Amino acid sequence: MLFSKYAIGACLVAVTAAQKKKVMLLGDSITQITCWRPLVWNQLTSAGLANNIDLVGSMSDLSCNAPSGFDKNHEGHSGYQAYDIARNNIVGWVQNTKPDIVQFMLGTNDVNIGKRQPQAVLDAYTTILNAIRSANPNAKIIIDKLIPTSWSDATVESINTQIPNWVSQHTTAQSPITIADCSRAAGYTNAMLRGDGVHPNDQGDQFIASKVGPALIKALQS
């Protein structure tokens, strides 16, 4: 059977698209309205990986300048809490996209708005994790430790302290979980926060990108 060059070209495009890893950047306003995502994209480009991924999600807004070719899709939602995402949103989001890698930072709003205790946030992480694995049993997970608030909220710090144990309890060879440490203990300072004491400024974006980017590159290369 003979194939035209157009048919062969279409097949090559389909194969290339199928080989792209789908990456979901999941979070709240720290994912949606700040500017670390393009900085991570620059790292992926420098590593020669930008053409190998498809950033997925129902959102595509960006509050800063985008580098050439930047994929704006994400799943960052201002004001959302891990507790509510776990119960109301995550199943639909991941079933629609079937991500290969999910990176998330969630919990700040659970503490500041929901007044939830650390265990409620960790339980929400587990529900989110189960939904991701239901959509893709081989998904790799990158969980960020929370950036601090300017008032060093004790609940935020407690969540961060408990994340490594949560990871050790839930990571598997098939679906590994790694940590991107964006915490005060890792070097995040009040000088990296905006005036609201919650969101990262330019320095904070650079710090987050310095933690998330290498973790994502490692997940893509492994």
Side-chain angles (χ1 to χ4, degrees), residues 106-134:
L106 284 167
T108 300
N109 292 326
D110 295 78
V111 175
N112 292 333
I113 299 173
K115 307 302 180 185
R116 304 190 193 282
Q117 294 304 304
Q119 190 58 51
V121 177
L122 295 168
D123 289 345
Y125 290 170
T126 303
T127 302
I128 291 169
L129 175 65
N130 290 340
I132 294 167
R133 286 175 170 169
S134 178

Side-chain angles (χ1 to χ4, degrees), residues 168-186:
S168 68
Q169 290 176 351
H170 295 283
T171 192
T172 67
Q174 182 179 8
S175 176
I177 308 172
T178 57
I179 298 172
D181 192 349
C182 300
S183 68
R184 186 182 296 283

Side-chain angles (χ1 to χ4, degrees), residues 59-95:
M59 307 291 283
S60 60
D61 54 330
L62 184 67
S63 301
C64 48
N65 293 328
S68 176
F70 176 58
D71 188 341
K72 295 182 180 180
N73 294 331
H74 65 94
E75 208 65 84
H77 298 263
S78 294
Y80 279 39
Q81 301 178 40
Y83 184 91
D84 297 316
I85 288 174
R87 284 154 181 77
N88 302 323
N89 309 108
I90 191 63
V91 170
W93 291 343
V94 295
Q95 288 294 336

